[in-house]
Amino acid sequence: MEEVPHDCPGADSAQAGRGASCQGCPNQRLCASGAGAAPDPAIEEIKEKMKTVKHKILVLSGKGGVGKSTFSAHLAHGLAEDENTQIALLDIDICGPSIPKIMGLEGEQYVEDNLGVMSVGFLLSSPDDAVIWRGPKKNGMIKQFLRDVDWGEVDYLIVDTPPGTSDEHLSVVQYLATAHIDGAVIITTPQEVSLQDVRKEINFCHKVKLPIIGVVENMSGFICPKCKKESQIFPPTTGGAEVMCQDLKVPLLGKVPLDPRIGKSCDKGQSFLVDAPDSPATSAYRSIIQRIQEFCNLHPSKAEQLISS
Amino acid sequence: MEAAAEPGNLAGVQHIILVLSGKGGVGKSTISTQLALALRHAGKKVGILDVDLCGPSIPRMLQSQGRAVHQCDSGWVPVFVDQEQSVSLMSVGFLLEKPDEAVVWRGPKKNALIKQFVSDVAWGELDYLVVDTPPGTSDEHMATVEALRPYRPLGALVVTTPQAVSVGDVRRELTFCRKTGLRVMGVVENMSGFTCPHCMECTSIFSSGGGEELARHAGVPFLGSVPLDPELTRSLEEGRDFIQEFPKSPAFPALTSIAQKILDATPACLS
């Protein structure tokens, strides 16, 4: 019986198609032909384009539905509150592009003068259109977003990703490899069913040498609007993000409680930070955003280092 | 006209149901597991095929993480999650050497494993095979539908949560079903409101009404709303049988009703 190789050397490695673990892999012939080995010229082109982008942050999670897009959108909103900061939000969730809805955009790309958005959602003519693409076509779209969009002078580029550790994640890391990514913010919810996927995501970051800015624990407790008592809807049966972060030695940036107003703001395409300034979730967001800014300022990009030296 | 498939390992499987959603985190794995358990309690033999290669959640939900997968002449032997051997499971989770190991594969490799999962698991005699999928409309979904097509799946259960952001993605999943010729058995709305255990006030944490509206817009049956239930989430964490242990819980009536609708929609087999 054919085994799928666990130790795939990688389509672009020197061993592609030739390694012992390649025997029996359906892609062996393709890899052995050297198709994957040549460096993609787009990587250099993207590096050039990214020279005007100071900080790049990826928002990841192994798990779906934990609040990556919600967080990406509000990170963008929070940073853009400073009118002198130019923010770009790139949504590379090709199959499930949530960002246009959460940002209240029906095709225009600018939420504010200083906050621009790009998503495959803008390219779809109907809300029922499905993007039924295999990996290589998704990768091509991501390449186009990074290489062909005129980003201009941007202080923060936030990249919202789909759940998982697959084509989109590999591609964005590969294409931005030479352009310096500041780091990844990893979103989770408290329960083990999420954490078990998030640990994989953390390992993915280590594997591809992507720095981890920290972990955000979302949906961390619910305060009943009537009686104000707290309930754990997604119980942290294994200690939640706090214990995971201690075990894996990554920073916990903060915990965001569940507030029904968050979902409503996202549905209306408005900033929750503005809609509910008094919410404990808003304070949590603001504190996390500040920690992210501090991280980026402490770890300037190579371009910035060269300029200041 | 499609050529009849070599029956192989799916010869003894009566009905195949896919559980899909365009959106992540809406409860596909939860609904898959609870549907399987409810069908088991209705006296059926059920298999679960977990084709979420990056985030295989089902083993933990059935307290089966770390179990070994053995091989027989016909292929992989699925893992039985109960002593009576009425629920069996196959997941990439069983094939990982370390549970925290990330499966960082591109499309073609994922497709290859999914084809193997469909054809090389020795399911034996099953009344239902429930196929849990990752979010999206990409490689895994295309590979699964293509591999299962010759076996004529009963259809797809599509899961959403109430809010517009979910419904927005799930609409696209319904288009995927239409384009690939997969019958939609119905829409399930999960996380429909939370009843505070302290004061019994029900709050629509993730908005409300989206699932029913989506079903109406797409012209497919609405199978029901499942409320947020900490006993359900805890059962999933600990791999316990929620259907058996918590019949008084808020989510129980909804889940058993959905299972009953599936049973009612299943054509009777000629014995």
Side-chain angles (χ1 to χ4, degrees), chain B residues 100-170:
Chain B
D100 296 342
E101 199 181 308
V103 172
V104 187
W105 293 354
R106 290 194 182 272
K109 201 164 168 180
K110 291 196 281 187
N111 297 341
L113 183 59
I114 287 172
K115 280 203 190 93
Q116 273 193 272
F117 267 179
V118 170
S119 60
D120 293 350
V121 176
W123 294 106
E125 301 289 324
L126 288 180
D127 295 298
Y128 290 93
L129 177 63
V130 177
V131 183
D132 183 33
T133 63
T137 49
S138 188
D139 291 274
E140 295 91 327
H141 313 86
M142 288 189 259
T144 306
V145 170
E146 282 318 302
L148 287 174
R149 193 186 295 284
Y151 305 98
R152 295 170 205 261
L154 202 53
L157 221 69
V158 176
V159 185
T160 186
T161 49
Q163 80 264 54
V165 167
S166 263
V167 168
D169 284 350
V170 180

Side-chain angles (χ1 to χ4, degrees), chain A residues 1-2 4-6 8 26-27 64-65 95-98 101-102 124 126-135 138-139 163 165-167 170-171 174 191-193 196-197 199-200 203-204 207 219 222 224-227 229-231 233 235 237 258 260 264 267, chain B residues 24-25 54-57 60-61 71 75-76 95-96 99-112 116 120 135-139 142 163-165 168-169 171-172 175-176 179 194 196-199 201 203-207 217 228 230 233-234 237:
Chain A
M1 190 185 66
E2 226 179 63
V4 178
H6 290 227
C8 170
N27 296 322
C95 297
S98 306
K101 176 137 217 99
I102 297 178
L124 301 171
S126 152
D128 292 316
D129 281 350
V131 180
I132 310 175
W133 290 356
R134 293 190 187 278
K138 291 195 282 188
N139 300 337
T165 48
S166 189
D167 287 275
L170 284 168
S171 293
Q174 269 176 3
Q191 77 274 45
E192 177 60 25
V193 162
Q196 67 180 11
D197 288 350
R199 288 193 197 95
K200 293 181 208 283
N203 278 322
F204 168 81
K207 239 182 179 165
M219 308 199 201
F222 170 69
C224 176
K226 189 169 178 209
C227 70
K229 295 217 175 88
E230 194 183 15
S231 301
I233 299 184
T237 56
L258 264 170
K264 293 200 170 54
D267 279 359
Chain B
C54 296
S57 306
R60 186 179 187 88
M61 290 179 174
Q71 287 178 19
W76 280 311
L95 307 179
L96 299 172
D100 296 342
E101 199 181 308
V103 172
V104 187
W105 293 354
R106 290 194 182 272
K109 201 164 168 180
K110 291 196 281 187
N111 297 341
Q116 273 193 272
D120 293 350
T137 49
S138 188
D139 291 274
M142 288 189 259
Q163 80 264 54
V165 167
D169 284 350
R171 289 171 76 161
R172 307 187 199 279
T175 303
F176 170 83
K179 284 194 162 164
F194 175 67
C196 175
H198 307 285
C199 69
E201 167 88 352
T203 310
S204 298
I205 301 188
F206 299 114
S207 302
H217 164 86
L228 278 162
T233 32
R234 196 169 273 278
E237 288 280 282

Side-chain angles (χ1 to χ4, degrees), chain A residues 208-227:
Chain A
V208 301
K209 300 193 183 14
L210 180 57
I212 297 174
I213 302 176
V215 169
V216 173
E217 185 183 86
N218 202 12
M219 308 199 201
S220 200
F222 170 69
I223 309 273
C224 176
K226 189 169 178 209
C227 70

Side-chain angles (χ1 to χ4, degrees), chain A residues 107-135:
Chain A
E108 327 88 67
Q109 285 169 258
Y110 277 89
V111 178
E112 311 282 345
D113 281 342
N114 66 336
L115 171 46
V117 178
M118 196 55 212
S119 167
V120 83
F122 294 143
L123 309 177
L124 301 171
S125 42
S126 152
D128 292 316
D129 281 350
V131 180
I132 310 175
W133 290 356
R134 293 190 187 278

Side-chain angles (χ1 to χ4, degrees), chain A residues 202 206 212-215 241-252:
Chain A
I202 292 174
H206 292 323
I212 297 174
I213 302 176
V215 169
E242 205 159 339
V243 169
M244 179 189 71
C245 288
Q246 272 165 17
D247 288 345
L248 299 180
K249 299 186 182 26
V250 294
L252 177 64

Side-chain angles (χ1 to χ4, degrees), chain B residues 52-67:
Chain B
D52 189 341
L53 305 181
C54 296
S57 306
I58 310 257
R60 186 179 187 88
M61 290 179 174
L62 293 169
Q63 213 176 70
S64 300
Q65 59 275 42
R67 297 272 299 274

